[in-house]
Amino acid sequence: MKTASAPATLVTGAASGMGRATARVFAAAGFRVVLADINADAGREAADEITSRGGEAHFVRADVTKPDEVANMVAATADRFGRLDCAVNNAACPPDSDRIVDADVEVFRQVVEVNLTSVLACLKHELAQMVDQGGPGAIVNIGSIRSFRARAGSPAYTAAKHAIIGLTRTAALECAGTGVRVNAVCPGAIDTPMLRGSRSARGDTEAATTARQGELGTPEEVAHASLWLCSSASSLVTGQALVADGGYLIR
Ligand SMILES: NC(=O)c1ccc[n+]([C@@H]2O[C@H](COP(=O)([O-])OP(=O)(O)OC[C@H]3O[C@@H](n4cnc5c(N)ncnc54)[C@H](O)[C@@H]3O)[C@@H](O)[C@H]2O)c1
């Protein structure tokens, strides 16, 4: 059992991929973690895995597109730990796959709802809790290399991930001086179920992905970037987007 002074953390989309690795890495660093996800079976299994390794982890089922479930998720975390010190807003659905001329407006709405609007809902309640408790606090929103570079055929995902940067900067500005910091981590191609699913839907091979985007990163490498942004080592950093892509964007 961690001490009550161990940072209290919420990770969304924590049943799989980067969210799961983030919960694991934070717990190994001594943080207490609530894992939230729409997938209850995998989320519980992820929390149990952390607990069996001596960490403190609890699962809360939440669909981040439902504002009342987001409010409950944040309240449940604060109730469980007595406060909320850190949050990683990571939940997302896979990219859309049609060019704009073929785009279905309803699909665009859904992708934006899961990958962007949900982050607003999470920030709203996380910031309120952190500012209310008098800070400090640190929030990381998960963007993407698609926050900076478009991909033809994914207009909704690209637009949503670009907007994550604007939302992150707005949130950082609005809580400047409160001790609460808000940043984004923008991963490149990372070996997760989402990447594998999108690749097979496009009929791509791993070789094709790496030829285009460089070697795949691991979920743990991204988790460590979030961990740094949630630690006091980054106390002067807010409103920033940290790219973790092995150098893809500078090529
Ligand atoms: N994998 C990559 O190459 C890559 C690259 C750049 C950015 N990203 C971003 O990283 C983050 C994590 O992606 P991943 O690759 O680990 O994906 P993943 O599919 O492995 O995991 C996503 C998790 O989010 C959950 N989720 C989806 N919709 C939800 C909802 N409405 N409410 C609650 N939970 C929900 C899923 O159940 C799943 O557990 C996402 O924000 C994604 O856009 C991924």
Side-chain angles (χ1 to χ4, degrees):
M1 193 66 128
K2 299 287 156 217
T3 65
S5 59
T9 310
L10 169 65
V11 182
T12 71
S16 172
M18 271 179 264
R20 186 167 179 152
T22 299
R24 205 167 45 229
V25 163
F26 274 58
F31 290 50
R32 298 174 291 166
V33 188
V34 160
L35 297 87
D37 206 285
I38 199 169
N39 183 340
D41 288 345
R44 280 201 192 91
E45 186 197 293
D48 289 348
E49 185 196 341
I50 291 171
T51 309
S52 72
R53 292 180 185 182
E56 183 171 349
H58 310 275
F59 175 71
V60 171
R61 193 204 166 276
D63 178 343
V64 291
T65 65
K66 304 261 164 54
D68 54 335
E69 294 190 22
V70 171
N72 288 341
M73 169 186 83
V74 174
T77 309
D79 282 354
R80 166 76 67 173
F81 297 139
R83 54 187 290 115
L84 178 68
D85 298 296
C86 314
V88 181
N89 297 320
N90 160 87
C93 67
D96 43 330
S97 54
D98 284 325
R99 286 175 170 255
I100 291 172
V101 289
D102 298 318
D104 177 333
V105 171
E106 200 39 51
V107 170
F108 187 93
R109 263 202 201 102
Q110 283 163 13
V111 172
V112 168
E113 188 175 7
V114 184
N115 294 3
L116 175 64
T117 314
S118 73
V119 178
L120 173 82
C122 290
L123 284 170
K124 176 181 162 77
H125 294 285
E126 292 159 358
L127 287 175
Q129 171 65 36
M130 287 176 181
V131 171
D132 220 44
Q133 70 198 18
I139 300 176
V140 172
N141 298 322
I142 301 298
S144 168
I145 47 174
R146 299 296 158 227
S147 299
F148 301 97
R149 187 173 296 177
R151 178 181 181 132
S154 296
Y157 188 82
T158 299
K161 290 300 188 182
H162 270 64
I164 287 289
I165 305 300
L167 196 52
T168 299
R169 289 181 181 147
T170 306
L173 196 58
E174 287 184 0
C175 61
T178 65
V180 178
R181 299 180 295 109
V182 187
N183 292 286
V185 166
C186 297
I190 310 297
D191 189 14
T192 68
M194 182 188 287
L195 182 83
R196 278 175 245 136
S198 311
R199 209 168 51 208
S200 73
R202 285 194 307 266
D204 260 9
T205 58
E206 180 169 336
T209 311
T210 51
R212 197 171 47 238
Q213 285 175 229
E215 285 306 307
L216 298 187
T218 67
E220 287 73 19
E221 288 176 294
V222 179
H224 280 285
S226 297
L227 181 63
W228 179 70
L229 285 170
C230 286
S231 75
S232 57
S234 63
S235 55
L236 216 50
V237 181
T238 192
Q240 301 303 307
L242 178 56
V243 177
D245 70 347
Y248 168 71
L249 283 182
I250 54 164
R251 279 198 264 150

